[in-house]
Amino acid sequence: MIAGATEPVAGAPDPPQAGVWNIANALTMVRIALVPLFVWLLFLDGTGWRLAAFAVFAAASVTDKIDGDIARARGLVTDFGKIADPIADKALTGAALVSLSAMGELWWWVTAAIMVREIGITVLRFVVIRYGVIPASKGGKLKTMLQVIAIGFYILPGPLDYVRWVAMGAALAVTVVTGADYLVRAWRLRRAPEGSGPQGS
């Protein structure tokens, strides 16, 4: 036996699982609550209101990074968080995309392509949840980051058209590619033997 190693005690209870009500999940819910405020500010006229909308969007986006770091550092990762976190992301980015298109500042086909992917993958997560939870991949996190950056450029006032187009083009490409990746992962999860899915991982 290796010195210093400890063996599990027979009959000892399993380590307690993180509860749904924790600081990480609370930040996720705050992000969802900020969406209506952001949309309201975005539709107001004036550079000052536009900058205020950008500030709220940026603050809401930052909580995505913070709640993830807290959840991993404090062992607060929950299945609820794995589902609610991407929903919060989609609520924020989706509201921004639809609002920008409604204001005539972003092509509707771009918004439609991104929203079809986002809603489709969200529905897919619920469809396969009986087999296991599909956590966000590195590609999915990159997709979210690129979408946030691109949307941020569209929200900011000023002559930034070229930068906006390049950023949104990159976000759209990664969005489509990662969507295909989630389809493959869902298919593999569905085909895996019962009980071998990544629940709780």
Side-chain angles (χ1 to χ4, degrees):
M1 181 175 178
I2 299 176
T6 59
E7 294 181 346
V9 178
D14 294 332
Q17 298 295 316
V20 171
W21 299 110
N22 59 60
I23 183 63
N25 289 341
L27 286 172
T28 297
M29 300 310 294
V30 167
R31 188 155 74 257
I32 294 175
L34 286 175
V35 172
L37 174 61
F38 159 70
V39 172
W40 177 69
L41 291 171
L42 188 60
F43 275 92
L44 295 177
D45 290 329
T47 300
W49 293 117
R50 197 65 177 234
L51 291 175
F54 175 81
V56 172
F57 180 80
S61 299
V62 167
T63 65
D64 182 35
K65 167 76 171 149
I66 295 174
D67 64 21
D69 290 345
I70 291 175
R72 287 184 292 271
R74 300 187 181 182
L76 300 178
V77 177
T78 63
D79 282 349
F80 172 82
K82 292 177 183 178
I83 296 296
D85 187 68
I87 289 177
D89 294 337
K90 291 169 178 57
L92 179 63
T93 57
L97 291 168
V98 170
S99 297
L100 288 167
S101 291
M103 296 167 68
E105 299 182 21
L106 177 65
W107 301 290
W108 272 110
W109 69 265
V110 173
T111 294
I114 293 177
M115 293 304 297
V116 166
R117 183 275 191 200
E118 301 292 15
I119 295 173
I121 295 303
T122 299
V123 172
L124 180 65
R125 283 172 177 264
F126 283 106
V127 169
V128 302
I129 199 169
R130 58 173 295 191
Y131 304 103
V133 174
I134 306 177
S137 65
K138 291 182 179 179
K141 294 175 181 178
L142 173 63
K143 175 268 304 178
T144 300
M145 181 183 71
L146 290 175
Q147 287 182 0
V148 168
I149 292 173
I151 291 170
F153 281 126
Y154 272 86
I155 296 172
L156 283 173
L160 301 170
D161 285 347
Y162 180 75
V163 176
R164 293 176 181 128
W165 298 336
V166 171
M168 189 59 74
L172 180 60
V174 175
T175 297
V176 173
V177 171
T178 55
D181 174 64
Y182 273 111
L183 290 175
V184 172
R185 294 169 67 192
W187 180 79
R188 289 176 177 171
L189 181 61
R190 174 64 179 82
R191 294 290 300 273
E194 187 174 351
S196 63
Q199 286 110 323
S201 62

